[in-house]
PDB file of all heavy atoms in Angstrom:
ATOM      1  N   GLU A 257     110.584 176.094  55.991  1.00  0.00           N
ATOM      2  CA  GLU A 257     109.844 176.001  54.768  1.00  0.00           C
ATOM      3  C   GLU A 257     108.267 175.940  54.992  1.00  0.00           C
ATOM      4  O   GLU A 257     107.516 176.577  54.242  1.00  0.00           O
ATOM      5  CB  GLU A 257     110.174 174.673  53.977  1.00  0.00           C
ATOM      6  CG  GLU A 257     111.597 174.701  53.528  1.00  0.00           C
ATOM      7  CD  GLU A 257     111.930 175.875  52.626  1.00  0.00           C
ATOM      8  OE1 GLU A 257     111.136 176.198  51.711  1.00  0.00           O
ATOM      9  OE2 GLU A 257     112.927 176.612  52.930  1.00  0.00           O
ATOM     10  N   GLN A 258     107.823 175.322  56.078  1.00  0.00           N
ATOM     11  CA  GLN A 258     106.403 175.358  56.426  1.00  0.00           C
ATOM     12  C   GLN A 258     106.062 176.749  56.817  1.00  0.00           C
ATOM     13  O   GLN A 258     104.925 177.309  56.391  1.00  0.00           O
ATOM     14  CB  GLN A 258     106.187 174.457  57.560  1.00  0.00           C
ATOM     15  CG  GLN A 258     106.356 172.939  57.264  1.00  0.00           C
ATOM     16  CD  GLN A 258     106.211 172.046  58.429  1.00  0.00           C
ATOM     17  OE1 GLN A 258     105.685 172.460  59.470  1.00  0.00           O
ATOM     18  NE2 GLN A 258     106.546 170.810  58.337  1.00  0.00           N
ATOM     19  N   TYR A 259     106.928 177.462  57.529  1.00  0.00           N
ATOM     20  CA  TYR A 259     106.674 178.812  57.971  1.00  0.00           C
ATOM     21  C   TYR A 259     106.474 179.767  56.866  1.00  0.00           C
ATOM     22  O   TYR A 259     105.575 180.672  56.884  1.00  0.00           O
ATOM     23  CB  TYR A 259     107.798 179.253  58.922  1.00  0.00           C
ATOM     24  CG  TYR A 259     107.562 180.711  59.555  1.00  0.00           C
ATOM     25  CD1 TYR A 259     106.685 180.837  60.510  1.00  0.00           C
ATOM     26  CD2 TYR A 259     108.301 181.783  59.072  1.00  0.00           C
ATOM     27  CE1 TYR A 259     106.433 182.061  61.080  1.00  0.00           C
ATOM     28  CE2 TYR A 259     108.113 183.021  59.614  1.00  0.00           C
ATOM     29  CZ  TYR A 259     107.194 183.143  60.691  1.00  0.00           C
ATOM     30  OH  TYR A 259     106.929 184.415  61.256  1.00  0.00           O
ATOM     31  N   LYS A 260     107.220 179.551  55.770  1.00  0.00           N
ATOM     32  CA  LYS A 260     107.164 180.463  54.532  1.00  0.00           C
ATOM     33  C   LYS A 260     105.765 180.372  53.915  1.00  0.00           C
ATOM     34  O   LYS A 260     105.286 181.323  53.291  1.00  0.00           O
ATOM     35  CB  LYS A 260     108.195 180.105  53.548  1.00  0.00           C
ATOM     36  CG  LYS A 260     109.597 180.525  53.946  1.00  0.00           C
ATOM     37  CD  LYS A 260     110.611 180.129  52.917  1.00  0.00           C
ATOM     38  CE  LYS A 260     112.019 180.331  53.389  1.00  0.00           C
ATOM     39  NZ  LYS A 260     113.009 179.833  52.373  1.00  0.00           N
ATOM     40  N   LYS A 261     105.093 179.230  54.125  1.00  0.00           N
ATOM     41  CA  LYS A 261     103.816 179.023  53.433  1.00  0.00           C
ATOM     42  C   LYS A 261     102.634 179.617  54.289  1.00  0.00           C
ATOM     43  O   LYS A 261     101.504 179.643  53.869  1.00  0.00           O
ATOM     44  CB  LYS A 261     103.479 177.442  53.328  1.00  0.00           C
ATOM     45  CG  LYS A 261     104.557 176.851  52.365  1.00  0.00           C
ATOM     46  CD  LYS A 261     104.252 175.332  52.241  1.00  0.00           C
ATOM     47  CE  LYS A 261     105.298 174.664  51.383  1.00  0.00           C
ATOM     48  NZ  LYS A 261     105.106 173.179  51.269  1.00  0.00           N
ATOM     49  N   ILE A 262     102.939 180.067  55.503  1.00  0.00           N
ATOM     50  CA  ILE A 262     101.906 180.551  56.363  1.00  0.00           C
ATOM     51  C   ILE A 262     101.593 182.062  55.948  1.00  0.00           C
ATOM     52  O   ILE A 262     102.522 182.889  56.005  1.00  0.00           O
ATOM     53  CB  ILE A 262     102.291 180.570  57.839  1.00  0.00           C
ATOM     54  CG1 ILE A 262     102.455 179.056  58.302  1.00  0.00           C
ATOM     55  CG2 ILE A 262     101.264 181.284  58.727  1.00  0.00           C
ATOM     56  CD1 ILE A 262     102.950 178.862  59.685  1.00  0.00           C
ATOM     57  N   ASP A 263     100.396 182.298  55.546  1.00  0.00           N
ATOM     58  CA  ASP A 263     100.021 183.721  55.217  1.00  0.00           C
ATOM     59  C   ASP A 263      99.335 184.406  56.376  1.00  0.00           C
ATOM     60  O   ASP A 263      99.449 185.582  56.514  1.00  0.00           O
ATOM     61  CB  ASP A 263      99.076 183.670  54.002  1.00  0.00           C
ATOM     62  CG  ASP A 263      98.716 184.988  53.489  1.00  0.00           C
ATOM     63  OD1 ASP A 263      99.506 185.730  53.067  1.00  0.00           O
ATOM     64  OD2 ASP A 263      97.557 185.386  53.673  1.00  0.00           O
ATOM     65  N   LYS A 264      98.552 183.648  57.082  1.00  0.00           N
ATOM     66  CA  LYS A 264      97.820 184.208  58.289  1.00  0.00           C
ATOM     67  C   LYS A 264      97.933 183.305  59.544  1.00  0.00           C
ATOM     68  O   LYS A 264      97.882 182.081  59.415  1.00  0.00           O
ATOM     69  CB  LYS A 264      96.247 184.259  57.927  1.00  0.00           C
ATOM     70  CG  LYS A 264      96.039 185.262  56.903  1.00  0.00           C
ATOM     71  CD  LYS A 264      94.464 185.323  56.604  1.00  0.00           C
ATOM     72  CE  LYS A 264      94.069 186.281  55.471  1.00  0.00           C
ATOM     73  NZ  LYS A 264      94.530 185.730  54.178  1.00  0.00           N
ATOM     74  N   LEU A 265      98.139 183.946  60.641  1.00  0.00           N
ATOM     75  CA  LEU A 265      98.166 183.279  61.984  1.00  0.00           C
ATOM     76  C   LEU A 265      97.087 183.808  62.845  1.00  0.00           C
ATOM     77  O   LEU A 265      96.938 184.993  62.909  1.00  0.00           O
ATOM     78  CB  LEU A 265      99.549 183.518  62.669  1.00  0.00           C
ATOM     79  CG  LEU A 265     100.744 182.776  62.033  1.00  0.00           C
ATOM     80  CD1 LEU A 265     102.048 183.297  62.572  1.00  0.00           C
ATOM     81  CD2 LEU A 265     100.711 181.284  62.347  1.00  0.00           C
ATOM     82  N   PHE A 266      96.320 182.946  63.388  1.00  0.00           N
ATOM     83  CA  PHE A 266      95.174 183.328  64.270  1.00  0.00           C
ATOM     84  C   PHE A 266      95.297 182.623  65.652  1.00  0.00           C
ATOM     85  O   PHE A 266      95.713 181.436  65.669  1.00  0.00           O
ATOM     86  CB  PHE A 266      93.884 182.924  63.711  1.00  0.00           C
ATOM     87  CG  PHE A 266      93.452 183.744  62.511  1.00  0.00           C
ATOM     88  CD1 PHE A 266      93.629 183.228  61.181  1.00  0.00           C
ATOM     89  CD2 PHE A 266      92.842 184.927  62.636  1.00  0.00           C
ATOM     90  CE1 PHE A 266      93.219 183.942  60.099  1.00  0.00           C
ATOM     91  CE2 PHE A 266      92.368 185.689  61.635  1.00  0.00           C
ATOM     92  CZ  PHE A 266      92.580 185.209  60.256  1.00  0.00           C
ATOM     93  N   ASP A 267      94.862 183.280  66.663  1.00  0.00           N
ATOM     94  CA  ASP A 267      94.449 182.510  67.850  1.00  0.00           C
ATOM     95  C   ASP A 267      93.084 181.846  67.501  1.00  0.00           C
ATOM     96  O   ASP A 267      92.309 182.339  66.608  1.00  0.00           O
ATOM     97  CB  ASP A 267      94.170 183.502  69.004  1.00  0.00           C
ATOM     98  CG  ASP A 267      94.787 182.926  70.322  1.00  0.00           C
ATOM     99  OD1 ASP A 267      95.945 183.162  70.466  1.00  0.00           O
ATOM    100  OD2 ASP A 267      94.006 182.409  71.083  1.00  0.00           O
ATOM    101  N   LEU A 268      92.834 180.665  68.014  1.00  0.00           N
ATOM    102  CA  LEU A 268      91.688 179.894  67.604  1.00  0.00           C
ATOM    103  C   LEU A 268      90.368 180.703  67.641  1.00  0.00           C
ATOM    104  O   LEU A 268      89.542 180.530  66.769  1.00  0.00           O
ATOM    105  CB  LEU A 268      91.573 178.560  68.413  1.00  0.00           C
ATOM    106  CG  LEU A 268      90.517 177.615  68.025  1.00  0.00           C
ATOM    107  CD1 LEU A 268      90.523 177.296  66.568  1.00  0.00           C
ATOM    108  CD2 LEU A 268      90.689 176.346  68.805  1.00  0.00           C
ATOM    109  N   ALA A 269      90.130 181.397  68.734  1.00  0.00           N
ATOM    110  CA  ALA A 269      88.858 182.232  68.775  1.00  0.00           C
ATOM    111  C   ALA A 269      88.701 183.181  67.644  1.00  0.00           C
ATOM    112  O   ALA A 269      87.692 183.350  67.052  1.00  0.00           O
ATOM    113  CB  ALA A 269      88.782 182.892  70.150  1.00  0.00           C
ATOM    114  N   ASP A 270      89.889 183.847  67.391  1.00  0.00           N
ATOM    115  CA  ASP A 270      89.863 184.767  66.210  1.00  0.00           C
ATOM    116  C   ASP A 270      89.663 184.124  64.844  1.00  0.00           C
ATOM    117  O   ASP A 270      89.033 184.654  63.925  1.00  0.00           O
ATOM    118  CB  ASP A 270      91.159 185.594  66.190  1.00  0.00           C
ATOM    119  CG  ASP A 270      91.337 186.453  67.406  1.00  0.00           C
ATOM    120  OD1 ASP A 270      90.354 186.879  68.026  1.00  0.00           O
ATOM    121  OD2 ASP A 270      92.497 186.719  67.806  1.00  0.00           O
ATOM    122  N   PHE A 271      90.206 182.869  64.731  1.00  0.00           N
ATOM    123  CA  PHE A 271      89.985 182.159  63.492  1.00  0.00           C
ATOM    124  C   PHE A 271      88.534 181.824  63.311  1.00  0.00           C
ATOM    125  O   PHE A 271      87.966 181.909  62.208  1.00  0.00           O
ATOM    126  CB  PHE A 271      90.750 180.754  63.533  1.00  0.00           C
ATOM    127  CG  PHE A 271      90.256 179.768  62.561  1.00  0.00           C
ATOM    128  CD1 PHE A 271      90.625 179.895  61.226  1.00  0.00           C
ATOM    129  CD2 PHE A 271      89.388 178.796  62.934  1.00  0.00           C
ATOM    130  CE1 PHE A 271      90.130 179.021  60.270  1.00  0.00           C
ATOM    131  CE2 PHE A 271      88.936 177.802  62.005  1.00  0.00           C
ATOM    132  CZ  PHE A 271      89.333 177.958  60.629  1.00  0.00           C
ATOM    133  N   LEU A 272      87.852 181.442  64.447  1.00  0.00           N
ATOM    134  CA  LEU A 272      86.380 181.135  64.269  1.00  0.00           C
ATOM    135  C   LEU A 272      85.604 182.395  63.893  1.00  0.00           C
ATOM    136  O   LEU A 272      84.627 182.297  63.087  1.00  0.00           O
ATOM    137  CB  LEU A 272      85.794 180.626  65.626  1.00  0.00           C
ATOM    138  CG  LEU A 272      86.496 179.269  66.059  1.00  0.00           C
ATOM    139  CD1 LEU A 272      86.035 178.993  67.484  1.00  0.00           C
ATOM    140  CD2 LEU A 272      86.094 178.110  65.170  1.00  0.00           C
ATOM    141  N   VAL A 273      86.003 183.551  64.338  1.00  0.00           N
ATOM    142  CA  VAL A 273      85.314 184.792  63.942  1.00  0.00           C
ATOM    143  C   VAL A 273      85.605 185.074  62.467  1.00  0.00           C
ATOM    144  O   VAL A 273      84.697 185.465  61.721  1.00  0.00           O
ATOM    145  CB  VAL A 273      85.838 185.964  64.800  1.00  0.00           C
ATOM    146  CG1 VAL A 273      85.287 187.318  64.272  1.00  0.00           C
ATOM    147  CG2 VAL A 273      85.384 185.773  66.276  1.00  0.00           C
ATOM    148  N   PHE A 274      86.880 184.858  61.999  1.00  0.00           N
ATOM    149  CA  PHE A 274      87.192 184.964  60.621  1.00  0.00           C
ATOM    150  C   PHE A 274      86.465 184.093  59.817  1.00  0.00           C
ATOM    151  O   PHE A 274      85.881 184.428  58.715  1.00  0.00           O
ATOM    152  CB  PHE A 274      88.746 184.778  60.470  1.00  0.00           C
ATOM    153  CG  PHE A 274      89.140 184.805  59.078  1.00  0.00           C
ATOM    154  CD1 PHE A 274      89.084 185.867  58.264  1.00  0.00           C
ATOM    155  CD2 PHE A 274      89.711 183.678  58.458  1.00  0.00           C
ATOM    156  CE1 PHE A 274      89.558 185.970  56.920  1.00  0.00           C
ATOM    157  CE2 PHE A 274      90.170 183.706  57.173  1.00  0.00           C
ATOM    158  CZ  PHE A 274      90.092 184.810  56.404  1.00  0.00           C
ATOM    159  N   LYS A 275      86.314 182.774  60.179  1.00  0.00           N
ATOM    160  CA  LYS A 275      85.531 181.781  59.474  1.00  0.00           C
ATOM    161  C   LYS A 275      84.084 182.171  59.319  1.00  0.00           C
ATOM    162  O   LYS A 275      83.423 181.902  58.295  1.00  0.00           O
ATOM    163  CB  LYS A 275      85.715 180.486  60.188  1.00  0.00           C
ATOM    164  CG  LYS A 275      85.238 179.261  59.307  1.00  0.00           C
ATOM    165  CD  LYS A 275      86.247 178.898  58.227  1.00  0.00           C
ATOM    166  CE  LYS A 275      85.848 177.626  57.463  1.00  0.00           C
ATOM    167  NZ  LYS A 275      86.707 177.312  56.326  1.00  0.00           N
ATOM    168  N   ALA A 276      83.581 182.869  60.318  1.00  0.00           N
ATOM    169  CA  ALA A 276      82.154 183.227  60.326  1.00  0.00           C
ATOM    170  C   ALA A 276      81.871 184.476  59.528  1.00  0.00           C
ATOM    171  O   ALA A 276      80.717 184.577  59.100  1.00  0.00           O
ATOM    172  CB  ALA A 276      81.701 183.371  61.800  1.00  0.00           C
ATOM    173  N   THR A 277      82.841 185.298  59.405  1.00  0.00           N
ATOM    174  CA  THR A 277      82.574 186.629  58.765  1.00  0.00           C
ATOM    175  C   THR A 277      83.409 187.043  57.588  1.00  0.00           C
ATOM    176  O   THR A 277      83.110 188.012  56.879  1.00  0.00           O
ATOM    177  CB  THR A 277      82.773 187.813  59.878  1.00  0.00           C
ATOM    178  OG1 THR A 277      84.166 187.746  60.284  1.00  0.00           O
ATOM    179  CG2 THR A 277      81.924 187.562  61.035  1.00  0.00           C
ATOM    180  N   ASN A 278      84.525 186.333  57.425  1.00  0.00           N
ATOM    181  CA  ASN A 278      85.550 186.693  56.380  1.00  0.00           C
ATOM    182  C   ASN A 278      86.275 187.971  56.828  1.00  0.00           C
ATOM    183  O   ASN A 278      87.008 188.543  55.990  1.00  0.00           O
ATOM    184  CB  ASN A 278      84.981 186.852  54.994  1.00  0.00           C
ATOM    185  CG  ASN A 278      84.503 185.527  54.394  1.00  0.00           C
ATOM    186  OD1 ASN A 278      85.109 184.557  54.581  1.00  0.00           O
ATOM    187  ND2 ASN A 278      83.410 185.568  53.665  1.00  0.00           N
ATOM    188  N   ASN A 279      86.088 188.408  58.114  1.00  0.00           N
ATOM    189  CA  ASN A 279      86.726 189.590  58.624  1.00  0.00           C
ATOM    190  C   ASN A 279      87.972 189.097  59.536  1.00  0.00           C
ATOM    191  O   ASN A 279      87.614 188.528  60.566  1.00  0.00           O
ATOM    192  CB  ASN A 279      85.807 190.446  59.357  1.00  0.00           C
ATOM    193  CG  ASN A 279      86.428 191.705  59.863  1.00  0.00           C
ATOM    194  OD1 ASN A 279      87.512 192.036  59.627  1.00  0.00           O
ATOM    195  ND2 ASN A 279      85.615 192.525  60.574  1.00  0.00           N
ATOM    196  N   PRO A 280      89.178 189.420  59.283  1.00  0.00           N
ATOM    197  CA  PRO A 280      90.320 188.980  60.138  1.00  0.00           C
ATOM    198  C   PRO A 280      90.424 189.879  61.346  1.00  0.00           C
ATOM    199  O   PRO A 280      91.571 190.253  61.769  1.00  0.00           O
ATOM    200  CB  PRO A 280      91.491 189.137  59.201  1.00  0.00           C
ATOM    201  CG  PRO A 280      91.214 190.206  58.280  1.00  0.00           C
ATOM    202  CD  PRO A 280      89.709 190.165  58.021  1.00  0.00           C
ATOM    203  N   ILE A 281      89.320 190.343  62.007  1.00  0.00           N
ATOM    204  CA  ILE A 281      89.420 191.112  63.162  1.00  0.00           C
ATOM    205  C   ILE A 281      89.887 190.302  64.343  1.00  0.00           C
ATOM    206  O   ILE A 281      89.566 189.156  64.523  1.00  0.00           O
ATOM    207  CB  ILE A 281      88.023 191.715  63.461  1.00  0.00           C
ATOM    208  CG1 ILE A 281      88.089 192.770  64.622  1.00  0.00           C
ATOM    209  CG2 ILE A 281      87.001 190.609  63.879  1.00  0.00           C
ATOM    210  CD1 ILE A 281      86.789 193.544  64.752  1.00  0.00           C
ATOM    211  N   ARG A 282      90.735 190.843  65.137  1.00  0.00           N
ATOM    212  CA  ARG A 282      91.429 190.159  66.269  1.00  0.00           C
ATOM    213  C   ARG A 282      90.867 190.774  67.580  1.00  0.00           C
ATOM    214  O   ARG A 282      90.411 191.873  67.638  1.00  0.00           O
ATOM    215  CB  ARG A 282      92.922 190.349  66.227  1.00  0.00           C
ATOM    216  CG  ARG A 282      93.585 190.246  64.868  1.00  0.00           C
ATOM    217  CD  ARG A 282      93.533 188.846  64.324  1.00  0.00           C
ATOM    218  NE  ARG A 282      94.155 188.720  63.004  1.00  0.00           N
ATOM    219  CZ  ARG A 282      95.014 187.831  62.716  1.00  0.00           C
ATOM    220  NH1 ARG A 282      95.441 186.877  63.522  1.00  0.00           N
ATOM    221  NH2 ARG A 282      95.451 187.771  61.452  1.00  0.00           N
ATOM    222  N   SER A 283      90.862 189.922  68.616  1.00  0.00           N
ATOM    223  CA  SER A 283      90.316 190.335  69.927  1.00  0.00           C
ATOM    224  C   SER A 283      91.469 190.822  70.775  1.00  0.00           C
ATOM    225  O   SER A 283      92.579 190.281  70.861  1.00  0.00           O
ATOM    226  CB  SER A 283      89.741 189.090  70.620  1.00  0.00           C
ATOM    227  OG  SER A 283      89.606 189.260  71.930  1.00  0.00           O
ATOM    228  N   VAL A 284      91.097 191.860  71.496  1.00  0.00           N
ATOM    229  CA  VAL A 284      92.115 192.382  72.531  1.00  0.00           C
ATOM    230  C   VAL A 284      92.466 191.386  73.562  1.00  0.00           C
ATOM    231  O   VAL A 284      93.523 191.324  74.154  1.00  0.00           O
ATOM    232  CB  VAL A 284      91.533 193.682  73.173  1.00  0.00           C
ATOM    233  CG1 VAL A 284      90.396 193.408  74.187  1.00  0.00           C
ATOM    234  CG2 VAL A 284      92.619 194.469  73.909  1.00  0.00           C
ATOM    235  N   CYS A 285      91.500 190.446  73.798  1.00  0.00           N
ATOM    236  CA  CYS A 285      91.782 189.350  74.805  1.00  0.00           C
ATOM    237  C   CYS A 285      92.877 188.397  74.310  1.00  0.00           C
ATOM    238  O   CYS A 285      93.862 188.179  74.978  1.00  0.00           O
ATOM    239  CB  CYS A 285      90.436 188.560  75.062  1.00  0.00           C
ATOM    240  SG  CYS A 285      90.667 187.074  76.054  1.00  0.00           S
ATOM    241  N   THR A 286      92.699 187.897  73.109  1.00  0.00           N
ATOM    242  CA  THR A 286      93.714 186.918  72.592  1.00  0.00           C
ATOM    243  C   THR A 286      95.001 187.597  72.376  1.00  0.00           C
ATOM    244  O   THR A 286      96.048 187.021  72.717  1.00  0.00           O
ATOM    245  CB  THR A 286      93.221 186.274  71.225  1.00  0.00           C
ATOM    246  OG1 THR A 286      93.028 187.335  70.333  1.00  0.00           O
ATOM    247  CG2 THR A 286      91.834 185.505  71.482  1.00  0.00           C
ATOM    248  N   LYS A 287      95.041 188.793  71.867  1.00  0.00           N
ATOM    249  CA  LYS A 287      96.298 189.455  71.513  1.00  0.00           C
ATOM    250  C   LYS A 287      97.066 189.843  72.738  1.00  0.00           C
ATOM    251  O   LYS A 287      98.267 189.729  72.756  1.00  0.00           O
ATOM    252  CB  LYS A 287      96.052 190.561  70.535  1.00  0.00           C
ATOM    253  CG  LYS A 287      95.549 190.176  69.263  1.00  0.00           C
ATOM    254  CD  LYS A 287      96.658 189.380  68.452  1.00  0.00           C
ATOM    255  CE  LYS A 287      96.130 188.506  67.353  1.00  0.00           C
ATOM    256  NZ  LYS A 287      95.385 187.321  67.892  1.00  0.00           N
ATOM    257  N   SER A 288      96.351 190.376  73.743  1.00  0.00           N
ATOM    258  CA  SER A 288      97.072 190.745  75.006  1.00  0.00           C
ATOM    259  C   SER A 288      97.550 189.625  75.766  1.00  0.00           C
ATOM    260  O   SER A 288      98.758 189.570  76.183  1.00  0.00           O
ATOM    261  CB  SER A 288      96.060 191.604  75.861  1.00  0.00           C
ATOM    262  OG  SER A 288      95.683 192.780  75.179  1.00  0.00           O
ATOM    263  N   CYS A 289      96.684 188.548  75.868  1.00  0.00           N
ATOM    264  CA  CYS A 289      97.024 187.536  76.822  1.00  0.00           C
ATOM    265  C   CYS A 289      97.974 186.488  76.210  1.00  0.00           C
ATOM    266  O   CYS A 289      98.704 185.820  76.970  1.00  0.00           O
ATOM    267  CB  CYS A 289      95.737 186.775  77.238  1.00  0.00           C
ATOM    268  SG  CYS A 289      94.622 187.830  78.179  1.00  0.00           S
ATOM    269  N   LYS A 290      98.080 186.349  74.865  1.00  0.00           N
ATOM    270  CA  LYS A 290      98.819 185.271  74.358  1.00  0.00           C
ATOM    271  C   LYS A 290      99.849 185.701  73.265  1.00  0.00           C
ATOM    272  O   LYS A 290     100.617 184.999  72.771  1.00  0.00           O
ATOM    273  CB  LYS A 290      97.911 184.225  73.698  1.00  0.00           C
ATOM    274  CG  LYS A 290      96.915 183.666  74.650  1.00  0.00           C
ATOM    275  CD  LYS A 290      97.544 183.060  75.911  1.00  0.00           C
ATOM    276  CE  LYS A 290      96.484 182.693  77.000  1.00  0.00           C
ATOM    277  NZ  LYS A 290      97.132 182.213  78.260  1.00  0.00           N
ATOM    278  N   TRP A 291      99.822 186.985  72.893  1.00  0.00           N
ATOM    279  CA  TRP A 291     100.669 187.467  71.818  1.00  0.00           C
ATOM    280  C   TRP A 291     101.509 188.710  72.195  1.00  0.00           C
ATOM    281  O   TRP A 291     102.213 189.296  71.461  1.00  0.00           O
ATOM    282  CB  TRP A 291      99.864 187.856  70.564  1.00  0.00           C
ATOM    283  CG  TRP A 291      99.078 186.837  69.885  1.00  0.00           C
ATOM    284  CD1 TRP A 291      97.960 186.164  70.480  1.00  0.00           C
ATOM    285  CD2 TRP A 291      99.324 186.275  68.631  1.00  0.00           C
ATOM    286  NE1 TRP A 291      97.560 185.211  69.492  1.00  0.00           N
ATOM    287  CE2 TRP A 291      98.310 185.245  68.420  1.00  0.00           C
ATOM    288  CE3 TRP A 291     100.293 186.504  67.653  1.00  0.00           C
ATOM    289  CZ2 TRP A 291      98.223 184.492  67.211  1.00  0.00           C
ATOM    290  CZ3 TRP A 291     100.182 185.686  66.499  1.00  0.00           C
ATOM    291  CH2 TRP A 291      99.190 184.750  66.268  1.00  0.00           C
ATOM    292  N   ASN A 292     101.470 189.017  73.512  1.00  0.00           N
ATOM    293  CA  ASN A 292     102.262 190.126  74.085  1.00  0.00           C
ATOM    294  C   ASN A 292     101.958 191.530  73.439  1.00  0.00           C
ATOM    295  O   ASN A 292     102.692 192.343  73.433  1.00  0.00           O
ATOM    296  CB  ASN A 292     103.815 189.843  73.888  1.00  0.00           C
ATOM    297  CG  ASN A 292     104.215 188.670  74.784  1.00  0.00           C
ATOM    298  OD1 ASN A 292     104.226 187.534  74.221  1.00  0.00           O
ATOM    299  ND2 ASN A 292     104.549 188.880  75.926  1.00  0.00           N
ATOM    300  N   TYR A 293     100.718 191.598  72.966  1.00  0.00           N
ATOM    301  CA  TYR A 293     100.130 192.875  72.562  1.00  0.00           C
ATOM    302  C   TYR A 293      99.972 193.823  73.749  1.00  0.00           C
ATOM    303  O   TYR A 293      99.349 193.397  74.743  1.00  0.00           O
ATOM    304  CB  TYR A 293      98.924 192.738  71.666  1.00  0.00           C
ATOM    305  CG  TYR A 293      98.222 193.923  71.228  1.00  0.00           C
ATOM    306  CD1 TYR A 293      98.776 194.717  70.150  1.00  0.00           C
ATOM    307  CD2 TYR A 293      97.085 194.424  71.846  1.00  0.00           C
ATOM    308  CE1 TYR A 293      98.113 195.845  69.632  1.00  0.00           C
ATOM    309  CE2 TYR A 293      96.447 195.588  71.359  1.00  0.00           C
ATOM    310  CZ  TYR A 293      96.934 196.280  70.267  1.00  0.00           C
ATOM    311  OH  TYR A 293      96.359 197.382  69.792  1.00  0.00           O
ATOM    312  N   LEU A 294     100.297 195.049  73.612  1.00  0.00           N
ATOM    313  CA  LEU A 294     100.169 196.032  74.749  1.00  0.00           C
ATOM    314  C   LEU A 294      98.894 196.776  74.562  1.00  0.00           C
ATOM    315  O   LEU A 294      98.864 197.886  73.973  1.00  0.00           O
ATOM    316  CB  LEU A 294     101.391 196.929  74.842  1.00  0.00           C
ATOM    317  CG  LEU A 294     102.734 196.190  74.864  1.00  0.00           C
ATOM    318  CD1 LEU A 294     103.901 197.181  74.842  1.00  0.00           C
ATOM    319  CD2 LEU A 294     102.770 195.288  76.129  1.00  0.00           C
ATOM    320  N   ALA A 295      97.766 196.243  75.014  1.00  0.00           N
ATOM    321  CA  ALA A 295      96.423 196.778  74.849  1.00  0.00           C
ATOM    322  C   ALA A 295      96.283 198.267  75.459  1.00  0.00           C
ATOM    323  O   ALA A 295      95.605 199.093  74.815  1.00  0.00           O
ATOM    324  CB  ALA A 295      95.378 195.954  75.357  1.00  0.00           C
TER     325      ALA A 295
END
């Protein structure tokens, strides 16, 4: 039920960038190293 309420998930560094700019841009660093993104 908590999971259904989640609209956005961020790595903390990406959240700070989003908070600063309103742009949900993600970093190749966070996504590769912690989210199994294949950069």
